[in-house]
Amino acid sequence: MLDAPTHSENRGAMRSLERGSAMPSNTPSEAGEQAQVSFYLTEKRPGATLGSIDGLGLRPALFAGYRDLTKLRYDFPLVLLHNAPDESSVQSLSGLFDGAFAEMYGAADGERLRSYSLRMECEIRAQVAGGAGGSLTALWDEAARRLLASADDLLQDGLRRLRTSLKGDGEVIDCDGALPARLLGSAWRTVQRKKAQRFRDDINRLIAKLADILKADAARSATGHSAESLKASMGSAHGDAFDFAAMSRLLTKASSSSALHEGRRRRIERLLSVLRSQEFFPAFNGATNPNETAAAHSFVFESCTRALEAYRERLPEMIEVAKARVMAELEIGSEYNEAAHDPIFADFGATGLDPRYAVAFPDYLVCLNARDMLPAEASALLDILSAGLPVKILLQSDDIVERSPIGNSNFAVGLRSKQIVTSAIALGDVFVLQSTSANLFRLRDRIFRGWATSGPALFSIFSGAAGNAGGIPTYLIAAAALESRAFPTLVYDPSAGPDWASRFDLRDNPQADLDWPLHELPFEDEAHQRISETVAVTLVDFLACDRRYAQSLARVSWAQGNGRMVSVSECLTHEATGVPDKLPSVLMVDANNGLQRVLVDDRLIRAARRCVEMWRSLQELGGINNSHAARLLARERQSWQEQAQRSTEAAAASPAPAEQPSALPPASTVSAPEPAAPELERPSDEPYIETPRCTSCNECIQINDKMFGYNKEKQAFVLNAGAGTFRQLVEAAESCQVSIIHPGKPRDPNEAGLGELMKRAEPFL
Amino acid sequence: MSIAATECLLRLHDEHHELEDYQSGVPRWCTGCGDNAILAAVQRLCRDENLRPEKTVFVSGIGCSSRFPHYMKTYGFHGIHGRALPIAEGVKMARPDLHVFVNTGDGDCCSIGAAHWIHAIRYNMNMTVMLHDNQIYGLTKMQASPTSPKGLKSNTTPRGAYLDALQPLTVTLGVQNVSFVAQAVDWIPEVLYDILSAAFHHKGFSFVRIIQRCPEWLPKMFEPWLHDPQRILLLNHERGLQVSPGLAKVYKNQERHDPSNLNRAREIASVMDPIPVGILYRNPDVPCYEVLRRSDQLRSADFIKAGLEAEFDKFTVWPQEAQERVKPHA
């Protein structure tokens, strides 16, 4: 923001501030006071005591140090670097020069190089302020040409070294009316390029894989196996060594008809045509000529209604392409199942496109100017925001001090844009960023976050370029709007967290916890002593820049003003009751840096009061002086105090030590849990197999596959004990590799050789 | 890089395969061969993981073990002697989306294929390798193999093998980048299944040595271990093999071993009696070669062609230029 000027030239300017020449104090002081009060209340100037401020070129006193912006180092002008990744593509000129200089820091002639670098920067800044634009290289060359007019070899060498360490080239833009559109536009383009790359890569991958499927099928088909195509695929070097006709005959006989199902082939071809002809991103392969791009839709619009129309028109196409992507993924993985998937895809997108699919498609950009906005546009804008469409809207306001639409004497500061911003925030899932153009550089990472969100985003920027401010530069107007809380910076980022504390951010306002920011104003008084006053920047200072409100201000001489004049912020803290005894005034400087005191009328005070009320409610939203939090804290504090009091009383009342807690109950002996699954009581008569231990070795199955069988785990069990002899059981038990077969008792007592078999069966009981 | 939405969308048609769906033909191994147990365990694994047969491939070399792919109804590659691993690595690089299993034997892996084995461990590609170690050359009718114990009488060692057996586990644990080493025995099917399942889920080169009986040539070899549970050392741990209570009752000889402890794993691996069974080492953080080498570029036909042309152009002789160069001397 407005940092205190450090350039040595301006310190001198501060010291020479003098009190301006006073009006002749001919009239008695009471009449003068009457005149002041009546001016305050009615804006009329009876008598000649109150001078108008026309023609003096007054500007707020705090601007005194910033007469010549080209001699100062601040955020502007900006350089939009080509070919740099996201956030670092936006740099300030001073930042770039500092970076370049830091590389050469250790050089022996560092001081001299530093002075050269500052001179270059100043020269470039002056060029830009004079209206020149273009790339950094062009401006550098022009500036170098001017500086080198004094033909200094050392300078030339130093400049050359600086140029090599100054990395990157880009467009240089200053803080003017076109800044918001250019800065945000270039940010949008950077983000879109990345998105386009990802989309293109994915689509190309899908196209390549689908084409491969078709190609493989063609190779296996009858034409693929014909002698000509075989010969063509072999190449000419060893073509003579092969008999292609015979090869073709062999292949056609040997290969089974594994050609693609006709329905599947048609589906793949359809998918390929949809994917190839999509117009959402220019579709080119990295390998081929990047300048040949297929016709793509444009996504930049000048009006919300047109953007909404375009979205509606393109929605069927979007659905087609999204559907094609999903179907292609399934086809490539051979997972497409017609019976199950066809009905689903037939209705795909009937209820609108799921945001998960829409996120891959490009965002729409709409650049609006509040001045030209019709009511129909405003409602279309709100429609877009509440529908959650992926549209990013830049709403630029050049002039925020508008006459109230009703026509009474009140005027509304930034009314139109504030209405839209508050509606957008209330929706809850829209990314909202409100700021003046002066603060845009500091907010650059937030801007990129806004472009990266998948839903709608609203950027409301005050450019300050309305031209009502006389000679005051646009940057200062914008900065004044920020400082005076006329257009505070707020960021509402739904993706930052689930609650207001994480989403809503007022951090980028100067001294956000105060009503008005405080600044030190040093000046020289009548006795030529240096005095420093703490001055609050209020809405009135901002309005005082605007020539349209000159009639609400009246110049007052120092003699007349003493004792009754207070600052606007003090006045606001007192309620207005009846005839005021303290009148509000602001400090302004004229063209010679002479300090003037200027009386402010009631209309501006009322506007300032409303402004501070709005600011306070914003503060509460941002968690500063939040009334809910304060009440909760007070309640908690009270209950804690009560508790503390109670415990001290209790401690005082019972001097005896607290009795020992009753003896702990004896630890109950917990019996160890019984081993799970007690041994199954197997009848020892029935033959059985310990199936879980079976190794599937086929021994028993081979002996009798009616008696023994495999279960679902391919482990053996006794399928049918009666389907074989006891001899077979014993043999199986003996040949079982892991000895898990238990033959049990024989079923048939008349079987031959039972005695010997029983003996053999004994180890397996 | 598929759209996240397709994952949750449209997996309506889930095919479920039974164990029989993975059976291809009746195995021609000898009855009682341990390979049958391994086959059953692998088929159970495929069924439980619902592996799609067209996405699964078994690669083998030569030997009784290497008949495996013929009995699985998935893709298979019965390769040449000792070269199961290089072929499997090639399959994995070309088609990283397939599930690759390797069946190799003690001769195929530790004898003729030893060189490939060392480097396959280093590459750490995501595959499951089963070493069917029956400590003999079975298919060629009883010759001593590198893992045959000292003193074994075979057709090539009629006076008994002179050398101590090679320890596949210590060899594998000694190679850089090793990420999963386990040992199983074919006569405890539950543990075999658990280890194979862990090996399958591990992202990297999972080496499982399965000590397997050969009923034809070495019928009495593992009798002592088969009948005495004390001679099996079960390695259990929360991060390793988890022993069920039923099994714990029979196999009481257990040790709690943390699979991330490489040094202890190496000590355990050097002991062969009792046979350690379980996961000896597991390190999920070793990168897989196919992932390291995965290119972000889309390798379309045009891209490859452009690359080849660029390379060839470096060596092309342009007749025009050659003539101009020659002219001054002419």
PDB file of all heavy atoms in Angstrom, chain B residues 94-116:
ATOM      1  N   ALA B  94       6.313 -53.802 -20.739  1.00  0.00           N
ATOM      2  CA  ALA B  94       5.424 -53.490 -21.861  1.00  0.00           C
ATOM      3  C   ALA B  94       3.985 -53.311 -21.400  1.00  0.00           C
ATOM      4  O   ALA B  94       3.256 -52.479 -21.929  1.00  0.00           O
ATOM      5  CB  ALA B  94       5.493 -54.611 -22.889  1.00  0.00           C
ATOM      6  N   ARG B  95       3.594 -54.079 -20.409  1.00  0.00           N
ATOM      7  CA  ARG B  95       2.213 -54.015 -19.955  1.00  0.00           C
ATOM      8  C   ARG B  95       2.199 -53.943 -18.438  1.00  0.00           C
ATOM      9  O   ARG B  95       1.935 -54.933 -17.757  1.00  0.00           O
ATOM     10  CB  ARG B  95       1.428 -55.263 -20.409  1.00  0.00           C
ATOM     11  CG  ARG B  95       1.177 -55.338 -21.890  1.00  0.00           C
ATOM     12  CD  ARG B  95       0.169 -54.288 -22.318  1.00  0.00           C
ATOM     13  NE  ARG B  95      -1.087 -54.410 -21.603  1.00  0.00           N
ATOM     14  CZ  ARG B  95      -2.084 -55.234 -21.953  1.00  0.00           C
ATOM     15  NH1 ARG B  95      -1.951 -56.015 -23.020  1.00  0.00           N
ATOM     16  NH2 ARG B  95      -3.193 -55.290 -21.253  1.00  0.00           N
ATOM     17  N   PRO B  96       2.474 -52.791 -17.897  1.00  0.00           N
ATOM     18  CA  PRO B  96       2.522 -52.690 -16.430  1.00  0.00           C
ATOM     19  C   PRO B  96       1.175 -52.938 -15.770  1.00  0.00           C
ATOM     20  O   PRO B  96       1.101 -53.100 -14.574  1.00  0.00           O
ATOM     21  CB  PRO B  96       3.000 -51.257 -16.173  1.00  0.00           C
ATOM     22  CG  PRO B  96       2.997 -50.570 -17.460  1.00  0.00           C
ATOM     23  CD  PRO B  96       2.830 -51.537 -18.562  1.00  0.00           C
ATOM     24  N   ASP B  97       0.121 -52.966 -16.594  1.00  0.00           N
ATOM     25  CA  ASP B  97      -1.188 -53.164 -15.971  1.00  0.00           C
ATOM     26  C   ASP B  97      -1.484 -54.632 -15.700  1.00  0.00           C
ATOM     27  O   ASP B  97      -2.477 -54.943 -15.041  1.00  0.00           O
ATOM     28  CB  ASP B  97      -2.273 -52.577 -16.882  1.00  0.00           C
ATOM     29  CG  ASP B  97      -2.202 -53.167 -18.270  1.00  0.00           C
ATOM     30  OD1 ASP B  97      -1.094 -53.214 -18.835  1.00  0.00           O
ATOM     31  OD2 ASP B  97      -3.233 -53.579 -18.806  1.00  0.00           O
ATOM     32  N   LEU B  98      -0.664 -55.561 -16.192  1.00  0.00           N
ATOM     33  CA  LEU B  98      -0.956 -56.978 -15.971  1.00  0.00           C
ATOM     34  C   LEU B  98      -0.402 -57.450 -14.635  1.00  0.00           C
ATOM     35  O   LEU B  98       0.596 -56.929 -14.154  1.00  0.00           O
ATOM     36  CB  LEU B  98      -0.328 -57.827 -17.084  1.00  0.00           C
ATOM     37  CG  LEU B  98      -0.809 -57.559 -18.506  1.00  0.00           C
ATOM     38  CD1 LEU B  98      -0.081 -58.472 -19.449  1.00  0.00           C
ATOM     39  CD2 LEU B  98      -2.296 -57.762 -18.607  1.00  0.00           C
ATOM     40  N   HIS B  99      -1.064 -58.464 -14.063  1.00  0.00           N
ATOM     41  CA  HIS B  99      -0.532 -59.102 -12.854  1.00  0.00           C
ATOM     42  C   HIS B  99       0.436 -60.184 -13.309  1.00  0.00           C
ATOM     43  O   HIS B  99       0.029 -61.118 -13.990  1.00  0.00           O
ATOM     44  CB  HIS B  99      -1.645 -59.759 -12.058  1.00  0.00           C
ATOM     45  CG  HIS B  99      -2.741 -58.815 -11.684  1.00  0.00           C
ATOM     46  ND1 HIS B  99      -2.561 -57.797 -10.783  1.00  0.00           N
ATOM     47  CD2 HIS B  99      -4.022 -58.729 -12.092  1.00  0.00           C
ATOM     48  CE1 HIS B  99      -3.696 -57.138 -10.661  1.00  0.00           C
ATOM     49  NE2 HIS B  99      -4.591 -57.669 -11.437  1.00  0.00           N
ATOM     50  N   VAL B 100       1.702 -60.048 -12.924  1.00  0.00           N
ATOM     51  CA  VAL B 100       2.712 -60.996 -13.403  1.00  0.00           C
ATOM     52  C   VAL B 100       3.127 -61.906 -12.279  1.00  0.00           C
ATOM     53  O   VAL B 100       3.489 -61.458 -11.187  1.00  0.00           O
ATOM     54  CB  VAL B 100       3.942 -60.226 -13.940  1.00  0.00           C
ATOM     55  CG1 VAL B 100       5.004 -61.192 -14.389  1.00  0.00           C
ATOM     56  CG2 VAL B 100       3.531 -59.324 -15.081  1.00  0.00           C
ATOM     57  N   PHE B 101       3.066 -63.210 -12.538  1.00  0.00           N
ATOM     58  CA  PHE B 101       3.549 -64.225 -11.594  1.00  0.00           C
ATOM     59  C   PHE B 101       4.657 -64.994 -12.292  1.00  0.00           C
ATOM     60  O   PHE B 101       4.589 -65.251 -13.490  1.00  0.00           O
ATOM     61  CB  PHE B 101       2.431 -65.204 -11.217  1.00  0.00           C
ATOM     62  CG  PHE B 101       1.330 -64.594 -10.409  1.00  0.00           C
ATOM     63  CD1 PHE B 101       0.275 -63.941 -11.030  1.00  0.00           C
ATOM     64  CD2 PHE B 101       1.332 -64.692  -9.029  1.00  0.00           C
ATOM     65  CE1 PHE B 101      -0.749 -63.389 -10.281  1.00  0.00           C
ATOM     66  CE2 PHE B 101       0.306 -64.144  -8.280  1.00  0.00           C
ATOM     67  CZ  PHE B 101      -0.733 -63.491  -8.913  1.00  0.00           C
ATOM     68  N   VAL B 102       5.643 -65.396 -11.527  1.00  0.00           N
ATOM     69  CA  VAL B 102       6.743 -66.163 -12.111  1.00  0.00           C
ATOM     70  C   VAL B 102       6.855 -67.475 -11.359  1.00  0.00           C
ATOM     71  O   VAL B 102       6.871 -67.489 -10.129  1.00  0.00           O
ATOM     72  CB  VAL B 102       8.072 -65.386 -12.002  1.00  0.00           C
ATOM     73  CG1 VAL B 102       9.204 -66.193 -12.600  1.00  0.00           C
ATOM     74  CG2 VAL B 102       7.942 -64.043 -12.702  1.00  0.00           C
ATOM     75  N   ASN B 103       6.897 -68.582 -12.106  1.00  0.00           N
ATOM     76  CA  ASN B 103       7.113 -69.891 -11.487  1.00  0.00           C
ATOM     77  C   ASN B 103       8.452 -70.406 -11.947  1.00  0.00           C
ATOM     78  O   ASN B 103       8.669 -70.603 -13.148  1.00  0.00           O
ATOM     79  CB  ASN B 103       6.019 -70.867 -11.922  1.00  0.00           C
ATOM     80  CG  ASN B 103       4.662 -70.429 -11.447  1.00  0.00           C
ATOM     81  OD1 ASN B 103       3.908 -69.808 -12.169  1.00  0.00           O
ATOM     82  ND2 ASN B 103       4.376 -70.727 -10.206  1.00  0.00           N
ATOM     83  N   THR B 104       9.332 -70.598 -11.012  1.00  0.00           N
ATOM     84  CA  THR B 104      10.654 -71.043 -11.385  1.00  0.00           C
ATOM     85  C   THR B 104      11.103 -72.092 -10.386  1.00  0.00           C
ATOM     86  O   THR B 104      10.565 -72.189  -9.287  1.00  0.00           O
ATOM     87  CB  THR B 104      11.605 -69.834 -11.442  1.00  0.00           C
ATOM     88  OG1 THR B 104      12.891 -70.278 -11.789  1.00  0.00           O
ATOM     89  CG2 THR B 104      11.669 -69.127 -10.116  1.00  0.00           C
ATOM     90  N   GLY B 105      12.060 -72.892 -10.784  1.00  0.00           N
ATOM     91  CA  GLY B 105      12.495 -73.983  -9.912  1.00  0.00           C
ATOM     92  C   GLY B 105      13.885 -73.730  -9.409  1.00  0.00           C
ATOM     93  O   GLY B 105      14.542 -72.742  -9.759  1.00  0.00           O
ATOM     94  N   ASP B 106      14.383 -74.668  -8.588  1.00  0.00           N
ATOM     95  CA  ASP B 106      15.699 -74.423  -8.002  1.00  0.00           C
ATOM     96  C   ASP B 106      16.792 -74.487  -9.065  1.00  0.00           C
ATOM     97  O   ASP B 106      17.798 -73.783  -8.967  1.00  0.00           O
ATOM     98  CB  ASP B 106      15.988 -75.374  -6.841  1.00  0.00           C
ATOM     99  CG  ASP B 106      15.579 -76.802  -7.126  1.00  0.00           C
ATOM    100  OD1 ASP B 106      14.442 -77.006  -7.609  1.00  0.00           O
ATOM    101  OD2 ASP B 106      16.380 -77.707  -6.852  1.00  0.00           O
ATOM    102  N   GLY B 107      16.597 -75.289 -10.111  1.00  0.00           N
ATOM    103  CA  GLY B 107      17.600 -75.281 -11.155  1.00  0.00           C
ATOM    104  C   GLY B 107      17.433 -74.077 -12.050  1.00  0.00           C
ATOM    105  O   GLY B 107      18.384 -73.364 -12.382  1.00  0.00           O
ATOM    106  N   ASP B 108      16.199 -73.808 -12.416  1.00  0.00           N
ATOM    107  CA  ASP B 108      15.896 -72.731 -13.351  1.00  0.00           C
ATOM    108  C   ASP B 108      16.327 -71.381 -12.792  1.00  0.00           C
ATOM    109  O   ASP B 108      16.830 -70.523 -13.509  1.00  0.00           O
ATOM    110  CB  ASP B 108      14.387 -72.748 -13.623  1.00  0.00           C
ATOM    111  CG  ASP B 108      14.005 -71.881 -14.782  1.00  0.00           C
ATOM    112  OD1 ASP B 108      14.283 -72.282 -15.923  1.00  0.00           O
ATOM    113  OD2 ASP B 108      13.465 -70.789 -14.546  1.00  0.00           O
ATOM    114  N   CYS B 109      16.147 -71.191 -11.488  1.00  0.00           N
ATOM    115  CA  CYS B 109      16.441 -69.877 -10.912  1.00  0.00           C
ATOM    116  C   CYS B 109      17.859 -69.793 -10.389  1.00  0.00           C
ATOM    117  O   CYS B 109      18.560 -68.821 -10.649  1.00  0.00           O
ATOM    118  CB  CYS B 109      15.453 -69.586  -9.772  1.00  0.00           C
ATOM    119  SG  CYS B 109      15.751 -68.030  -8.935  1.00  0.00           S
ATOM    120  N   CYS B 110      18.288 -70.828  -9.636  1.00  0.00           N
ATOM    121  CA  CYS B 110      19.558 -70.687  -8.924  1.00  0.00           C
ATOM    122  C   CYS B 110      20.744 -71.245  -9.694  1.00  0.00           C
ATOM    123  O   CYS B 110      21.883 -71.020  -9.301  1.00  0.00           O
ATOM    124  CB  CYS B 110      19.500 -71.410  -7.584  1.00  0.00           C
ATOM    125  SG  CYS B 110      18.069 -70.935  -6.620  1.00  0.00           S
ATOM    126  N   SER B 111      20.476 -71.955 -10.746  1.00  0.00           N
ATOM    127  CA  SER B 111      21.594 -72.514 -11.487  1.00  0.00           C
ATOM    128  C   SER B 111      21.765 -71.756 -12.798  1.00  0.00           C
ATOM    129  O   SER B 111      22.519 -70.796 -12.879  1.00  0.00           O
ATOM    130  CB  SER B 111      21.350 -74.006 -11.741  1.00  0.00           C
ATOM    131  OG  SER B 111      22.436 -74.568 -12.399  1.00  0.00           O
ATOM    132  N   ILE B 112      21.020 -72.135 -13.810  1.00  0.00           N
ATOM    133  CA  ILE B 112      21.215 -71.479 -15.090  1.00  0.00           C
ATOM    134  C   ILE B 112      20.707 -70.042 -15.073  1.00  0.00           C
ATOM    135  O   ILE B 112      21.239 -69.170 -15.752  1.00  0.00           O
ATOM    136  CB  ILE B 112      20.560 -72.288 -16.225  1.00  0.00           C
ATOM    137  CG1 ILE B 112      20.756 -71.589 -17.576  1.00  0.00           C
ATOM    138  CG2 ILE B 112      19.095 -72.513 -15.956  1.00  0.00           C
ATOM    139  CD1 ILE B 112      20.371 -72.446 -18.751  1.00  0.00           C
ATOM    140  N   GLY B 113      19.717 -69.750 -14.257  1.00  0.00           N
ATOM    141  CA  GLY B 113      19.135 -68.404 -14.270  1.00  0.00           C
ATOM    142  C   GLY B 113      19.669 -67.483 -13.195  1.00  0.00           C
ATOM    143  O   GLY B 113      19.096 -66.435 -12.925  1.00  0.00           O
ATOM    144  N   ALA B 114      20.806 -67.877 -12.591  1.00  0.00           N
ATOM    145  CA  ALA B 114      21.280 -67.115 -11.428  1.00  0.00           C
ATOM    146  C   ALA B 114      21.571 -65.663 -11.786  1.00  0.00           C
ATOM    147  O   ALA B 114      21.282 -64.745 -11.016  1.00  0.00           O
ATOM    148  CB  ALA B 114      22.523 -67.769 -10.834  1.00  0.00           C
ATOM    149  N   ALA B 115      22.130 -65.432 -12.960  1.00  0.00           N
ATOM    150  CA  ALA B 115      22.487 -64.052 -13.315  1.00  0.00           C
ATOM    151  C   ALA B 115      21.245 -63.171 -13.389  1.00  0.00           C
ATOM    152  O   ALA B 115      21.227 -62.038 -12.894  1.00  0.00           O
ATOM    153  CB  ALA B 115      23.232 -64.038 -14.644  1.00  0.00           C
ATOM    154  N   HIS B 116      20.217 -63.704 -14.028  1.00  0.00           N
ATOM    155  CA  HIS B 116      18.993 -62.898 -14.152  1.00  0.00           C
ATOM    156  C   HIS B 116      18.344 -62.648 -12.802  1.00  0.00           C
ATOM    157  O   HIS B 116      17.747 -61.607 -12.553  1.00  0.00           O
ATOM    158  CB  HIS B 116      17.996 -63.610 -15.062  1.00  0.00           C
ATOM    159  CG  HIS B 116      18.542 -63.895 -16.412  1.00  0.00           C
ATOM    160  ND1 HIS B 116      19.001 -62.913 -17.243  1.00  0.00           N
ATOM    161  CD2 HIS B 116      18.730 -65.066 -17.066  1.00  0.00           C
ATOM    162  CE1 HIS B 116      19.439 -63.467 -18.357  1.00  0.00           C
ATOM    163  NE2 HIS B 116      19.296 -64.769 -18.282  1.00  0.00           N
TER     164      HIS B 116
END
